[in-house]
Amino acid sequence: MIKRTLLVISLLLLATGCGEAPAACDRQCGEIRALFTAPCGSQHSGTPADCAAWVGEVSSMTRQLDESLQGKHVQDDVSEVLPRLMTAVGDFENLKCGVVDVDNVSSTDALQAKCNEALIATRGDLGSLYFSAEVPD
């Protein structure tokens, strides 16, 4: 368990080139921790429209993390979760869940259901990344 944690943190540090381990981990893991513990993160509160800004922040963090890990050997758990998280965020953004504005009530309900699914997937995948990378408290 400890070896796995150190491996993930080491890989994240090497990928980001942040310097010393504690400071770099604080920066890298801090963003994941903050997003995971935010009201729309692990708390499962808020509608898709309420959580659109949060999903935007998750999207930005996910893209930066993916870019920093390109060409690096990454732990299997992280390499499986990161693409799923990017897909969930992309689904949310492509559905334009921040603003559900459809004239037809049944279309609005269908879109709202898809947005809820994308939000739940984003929360779940972020949680998986949080626990896969064993982000310290």
Side-chain angles (χ1 to χ4, degrees):
M1 184 70 84
I2 291 174
K3 284 184 179 180
R4 190 175 93 169
T5 302
L6 294 175
L7 176 63
V8 170
I9 291 172
S10 298
L11 289 172
L12 290 173
L13 297 177
L14 288 172
T16 58
C18 290
E20 291 184 303
C25 181
D26 285 346
R27 285 190 295 273
Q28 187 70 52
C29 296
E31 189 170 6
I32 296 170
R33 183 186 318 108
L35 290 169
F36 178 71
T37 58
C40 287
S42 64
Q43 306 303 312
H44 297 282
S45 61
T47 66
D50 295 336
C51 294
W54 174 82
V55 173
E57 292 174 25
V58 172
S59 176
S60 176
M61 180 272 303
T62 303
R63 275 190 244 110
Q64 289 173 357
L65 184 58
D66 183 56
E67 287 172 13
S68 70
L69 297 176
Q70 290 296 317
K72 307 286 191 242
H73 178 72
V74 181
Q75 180 186 2
D76 289 343
D77 291 351
V78 173
S79 67
E80 291 171 14
V81 170
L82 196 56
R84 285 197 329 250
L85 179 56
M86 293 175 73
T87 298
V89 167
D91 290 346
F92 187 95
E93 292 174 333
N94 290 334
L95 290 167
K96 297 182 177 32
C97 294
V99 180
V100 177
D101 186 21
V102 181
D103 293 333
N104 183 322
V105 173
S106 62
S107 294
T108 300
D109 290 344
L111 181 57
Q112 189 68 37
K114 288 179 184 176
C115 288
N116 284 333
E117 289 173 14
L119 181 58
I120 290 166
T122 299
R123 288 173 174 154
D125 292 335
L126 181 63
S128 294
L129 179 63
Y130 179 86
F131 291 110
S132 293
E134 297 180 12
V135 174
D137 291 330

